DNA sequence: GTTAATTGCGCAATGC
DNA sequence: AGCATTGCGCAATTAA
């Protein structure tokens, strides 16, 4: 996740070679429907134009014909498959996580609603009681005014606090 | 998003042909580093073994040498890139959604905690007051007990109710 | 039927 | 040396 550079034509290797044909048009190429893989005579690294007899090319590390190459490719293909599988799995899990969290959220919101209601009921009860006190505690007296004792934050509803 | 079948060797077309070499080992093949693209003589659809002179193969729809082919490929490559970009973007968004939901969840839980506490305090107050009533209603009572009405938000009662 | 979108796959470059 | 990731192109399939 860093390099993103890569022109259109990636290819060539000292020995083995690939080539991704990608020019806008390439009709003249592939005279007979070939998959495009130039096949020039091996040349020594020096570029002196001396043709190497294709025998023992230093280390056939990059030679596409060796078993070693095929083995590496195969292993890589396997790794790729594995990696992609994991990636897909992860994405799937993430999606699932979203669903779970959404559900959880709904539960929590419901609970909040419930608690808020409960709280408001209790507060109302308190108020009522306070009024009763105000009405009864006093001697016969006269009509008890709305002497609100204990009127802290409440009043039908929810004190958000958010 | 349905079929998942696809053996190892996918290839061949009436005219154009591909071939994904995928046999465990293919050293004997590619005598000279070719990219494997068999090149047999075109045969008429009837399968009668009659070789077609490779001139005007019906419609060069699948011929890899036509401009039309290259255009299709290019368009598809573009579509593929686009599709993958979207896919990646979506995954990213989903991940972000998870983070947002997690945060939201924390907020909600905090709120629940707060409400619960408030509620428990109120309930305790209620109980306390009820006791005071029971104790005081009878005799003239004595000094003011801890009957603190109006004592909101403090006191570490605890009455989760979950 | 044509075109765009998806998907699986192999290759090579690069990361670790 | 070796697996893991990632961008890319090809072809088959599936939606539009």
């Amino acid at each position: 996740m860093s390099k993103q550079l890569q022109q259109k034509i990636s290819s060539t290797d000292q020995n083995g070679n690939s080539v991704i044909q990608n020019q806008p048009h390439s009709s003249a190429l592939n005279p007979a429907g070939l998959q495009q893989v130039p096949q020039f005579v091996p040349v020594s690294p020096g570029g002196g134009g001396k043709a190497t007899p294709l025998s023992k090319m230093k280390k056939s590390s990059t030679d596409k014909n060796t078993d070693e190459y095929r083995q590496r490719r195969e292993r890589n293909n396997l790794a790729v498959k594995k990696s992609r599988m994991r990636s897909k799995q992860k994405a799937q899990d993430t999606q699932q996580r979203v669903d779970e969290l959404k559900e959880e959220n709904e539960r929590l919101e419901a609970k909040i609603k419930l608690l808020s209601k409960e709280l408001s009921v209790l507060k109302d009860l308190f108020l009522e009681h306070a009024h009763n006190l105000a009405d009864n505690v006093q001697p016969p007296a006269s009509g008890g005014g709305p002497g609100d004792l204990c009127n802290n934050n409440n009043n039908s509803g929810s004190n958000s606090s958010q």
Side-chain angles (χ1 to χ4, degrees), chain A:
Chain A
M1 237 201 244
S2 55
K3 285 290 177 53
Q4 196 176 359
L5 216 173
Q6 194 178 45
Q7 279 295 16
K8 282 314 184 172
I9 298 168
S10 94
S11 60
T12 70
D13 198 85
Q14 167 178 253
N15 202 350
N17 39 49
S18 62
V19 164
I20 298 179
Q21 77 290 26
N22 198 358
Q23 270 110 28
H25 286 224
S26 64
S27 26
L29 302 178
N30 294 14
L34 286 169
Q35 183 58 26
Q36 187 83 6
V37 171
Q39 174 171 353
F40 36 71
V41 183
V43 176
S44 56
K50 271 248 302 269
T52 314
L54 73 81
S55 52
K56 191 213 70 174
M57 189 69 71
K58 191 186 198 174
K59 283 289 168 57
S60 43
S61 315
T62 29
D63 192 324
K64 289 204 172 61
N65 293 345
T66 63
D67 276 7
E68 199 254 334
Y69 169 74
R70 270 330 302 170
Q71 278 173 22
R72 267 190 307 131
R73 284 305 326 137
E74 189 123 5
R75 273 203 307 270
N76 179 246
N77 289 342
L78 227 62
V80 167
K81 246 185 282 190
K82 189 165 143 194
S83 180
R84 284 170 178 158
M85 218 183 68
R86 282 166 142 194
S87 175
K88 214 168 293 183
Q89 182 65 51
K90 210 188 68 178
Q92 209 172 315
D93 290 355
T94 306
Q95 180 56 58
Q96 196 181 331
R97 187 94 180 89
V98 165
D99 295 341
E100 291 171 356
L101 284 172
K102 268 184 178 166
E103 243 179 83
E104 174 89 356
N105 260 25
E106 276 175 41
R107 276 218 339 267
L108 295 180
E109 302 226 32
K111 185 163 181 178
I112 286 179
K113 201 167 173 183
L114 186 76
L115 287 177
S116 294
K117 189 163 193 167
E118 219 172 315
L119 204 53
S120 88
V121 167
L122 235 64
K123 283 180 177 175
D124 283 353
L125 261 173
F126 248 135
L127 280 188
E128 205 179 312
H129 189 61
H131 285 189
N132 286 347
L133 279 186
D135 290 348
N136 302 335
V137 157
Q138 293 291 47
S142 53
D148 246 359
L149 231 57
C150 309
N151 184 357
N152 270 351
N153 60 338
N154 78 331
N155 228 335
S156 83
S158 43
N159 51 339
S160 45
S161 83
Q162 189 167 186

